[in-house]
Amino acid sequence: MVYYLIVCRSLTYAQRTAAILERAGITAHILRSPRAISATGCSHSVKISQRRLAQALVALRRAELTPQQIYITEADGSYREVRL
């Protein structure tokens, strides 16, 4: 399954991000960022469906939250950064 990971700088930031997305009707799951995408190893990510990225970005922009980075999963399970 293809999905996006919105990388957040802290657990609190990830919780705020997920809450905003849930209020916008977007299912969001908080998880530790995979080592492949987290250089510091201490960040958290919010996982959302591939088809909901545009709606998620609008909701986050309205709440004045800026994602640190966004990654999409590849078919082989690797991650590729999405430039916005």
Side-chain angles (χ1 to χ4, degrees), residues 35-76:
R35 287 183 192 232
I37 65 172
S38 176
T40 61
C42 60
S43 69
H44 286 76
S45 295
V46 177
K47 178 180 171 180
I48 62 170
S49 169
Q50 176 186 14
R51 59 193 157 107
R52 305 289 265 178
L53 180 64
Q55 185 181 2
L57 292 175
V58 168
L60 293 174
R61 194 170 301 123
R62 285 185 184 146
E64 298 180 1
L65 289 177
T66 305
Q68 192 173 18
Q69 294 172 303
I70 299 176
Y71 287 86
I72 188 169
T73 58
E74 298 287 354
D76 64 358

Side-chain angles (χ1 to χ4, degrees), residues 7-18 65-68:
V7 180
C8 302
R9 64 180 175 248
S10 68
L11 177 58
T12 302
Y13 192 84
Q15 290 168 333
R16 288 179 58 208
T17 298
L65 289 177
T66 305
Q68 192 173 18

